[in-house]
Amino acid sequence: MRTVTRLAGFAVGLAAVFGATYGVGRVVDRTPVVEGRHDGAAAHATGEHHETAARLPGGLLVSDRGYTLERVDSPADEFAFRIAGPDGRPVTRYEVAHDKLMHLIVARRDLSGFRHVHPELAPDGTWRVDTPLAGPGQWRAFADFTPTGGEPLTLGVDVTVPGELTERPLPAPATSTTVDDYTVTLTGAPQPGRTSSLTLTVSRNGRPVTDLEPYLGAYGHLVALRRGDLAYLHVHPDGMPGDGRTRPGPAVTFLAEVPSAGSYRLYLDFQHGGRVHTAEFTVVAGAAPTGTAPTPSGPAPTGGADHGTPGHGHN
Ligand SMILES: [Cu+2]
C-alpha cells in the first residue's frame, strides 16, 4: 500500500517535472501507474509547491502543460506566432471560446497600449494579425486559446519594440472613465482570493446605453492584468445574451477572481453602433471600500464591515 502510494507520488513528480517540456498528458499516458490519479494525488505527493504552481494565474508562462508560444518571423506590420503542442509540432486544431479560436491580447509592461485582436490561422498552424503593437516599448503578448483535446490556456511572451521609451505612470484608481463618446462607471471592487462581482455601466451623452451589441458572445469582454507582473486574470461575464435574464446594457456584470492584493488594470471591450470600444480602469484589490463608489443595489457599507480583508492581504 505504502509502496504503491510512493510510486504513484514518484510518477506524478516525474510528470510534474517533465510536464513543462513534454506535456503532462503524454507522460501520464506512458505511466499507467498514475492513470486515474489526478490532482489530489499530485497535491499530496509534492505538497504546497505543486499546489502553488497549479494555481498560477494565466499569462505568466511562455510554456505550460506541454504547449509553448513561439513567435514567427514576420514583417514589421504583422505579428505572427504559433503554439507548439506536446509533440513539438504546431497546433492546428482549436476549440472556439468566447466566439473565437484565438484571442491575442497585448499590453505594454507599464499597462498602457492595451489591444485585443483575433489573428487568422494558416493551415500550418501559424497565427497572423496586423501588428497590434502600437509604438515602442516592452510589450507582453498573451495568447488565450483552447487546443482541441486540451484545457484552456493563456501563454505570454515578451516583445520589444525598439524606439524611444516613455514609461507612463499607472492612472490613479477611479470608478468612472470615458472612451470615445461613452462614460463607463465601475461598481464593486475585487477582493483577493474570492470571486467578486464587478458591474460596468455604459452611458452615452448622459443617457444609459440599452442596446449594447453582443461581442465575443457577451455584452462585454473584460480582461484584468496585475501591475508588476502582468498576470492575466480570468473574468467571466455573469449572464449571456439570449439567456432570458441578461439585458443589453446599460449594466454589464462580471465575476472576477484576483489572486492577491495590489493594483490591477481592467480593460472592458464593448460593442455599440458596430464598433468596439475599450474602457480602462485601475482598481486596487484588497483596499477598504472607499465609500465613493455608487452602491445602487444596497446601503453604503458601514465602516469596518470589510475591514479584515486589507489586513489579510498584506503580501
Ligand atoms: Cu478575443
Side-chain angles (χ1 to χ4, degrees):
M1 186 73 180
R2 191 179 289 171
T3 310
V4 169
T5 308
R6 215 185 286 145
L7 269 179
F10 176 69
V12 171
L14 277 181
V17 168
F18 287 118
T21 317
Y22 299 112
V24 170
R26 249 181 109 75
V27 174
V28 169
D29 284 346
R30 289 194 213 123
T31 48
V33 66
V34 292
E35 202 148 57
R37 290 174 181 267
H38 302 301
D39 293 347
H44 272 297
T46 55
E48 203 179 322
H49 178 77
H50 185 94
E51 220 165 78
T52 305
R55 279 199 248 119
L56 210 59
L60 296 175
L61 303 176
V62 74
S63 183
D64 192 13
R65 285 177 255 174
Y67 295 88
T68 302
L69 172 54
E70 298 176 344
R71 291 194 58 207
V72 172
D73 285 341
S74 63
D77 60 353
E78 189 181 272
F79 188 85
F81 63 98
R82 62 188 166 220
I83 305 296
D87 60 3
R89 296 163 64 179
V91 176
T92 55
R93 292 174 63 222
Y94 295 82
E95 301 299 318
V96 171
H98 299 287
D99 259 8
K100 300 284 179 183
L101 296 175
M102 175 66 71
H103 303 266
L104 180 72
I105 280 95
V106 300
R108 282 196 192 82
R109 282 273 174 200
D110 62 8
L111 293 171
S112 70
F114 176 91
R115 288 283 309 281
H116 175 172
V117 296
H118 300 110
E120 294 282 328
L121 178 62
D124 70 353
T126 303
W127 292 96
R128 295 176 204 281
V129 65
D130 289 347
T131 185
L133 305 171
Q138 304 292 339
W139 292 82
R140 187 78 173 163
F142 304 92
D144 183 338
F145 62 95
T146 304
T148 296
E151 294 170 58
L153 268 180
T154 304
L155 301 177
V157 67
D158 281 339
V159 186
T160 302
V161 178
E164 198 175 322
L165 300 183
T166 313
E167 185 157 355
R168 296 157 182 79
L170 186 68
T175 54
S176 180
T177 191
T178 57
V179 54
D180 307 322
D181 291 341
Y182 300 86
T183 299
V184 182
T185 59
L186 169 67
T187 312
Q191 296 299 326
R194 59 184 162 98
T195 301
S196 311
S197 173
L198 302 176
T199 297
L200 294 122
T201 305
V202 183
S203 65
R204 187 183 199 184
N205 302 324
R207 287 185 188 177
V209 173
T210 56
D211 56 349
L212 289 173
E213 294 153 7
Y215 178 62
L216 303 176
Y219 288 121
H221 189 268
L222 188 65
V223 167
L225 299 177
R226 180 166 64 185
R227 181 189 208 177
D229 63 2
L230 273 67
Y232 178 98
L233 305 176
H234 286 271
V235 184
H236 302 282
D238 182 17
M240 310 297 268
D243 67 2
R245 67 179 179 94
T246 304
R247 302 162 73 97
V252 189
T253 298
F254 296 89
L255 301 174
E257 217 175 298
V258 300
S260 68
S263 295
Y264 294 81
R265 191 75 168 156
L266 305 182
Y267 305 88
L268 171 72
D269 292 327
F270 63 95
Q271 186 175 312
H272 189 244
R275 278 194 57 204
V276 176
H277 311 274
T278 305
E280 303 187 15
F281 293 88
T282 299
V283 296
V284 179
T290 60
T292 56
T295 52
S297 57
T302 52
D306 257 330
H307 206 72
T309 312
H312 285 295
H314 245 332
N315 45 358

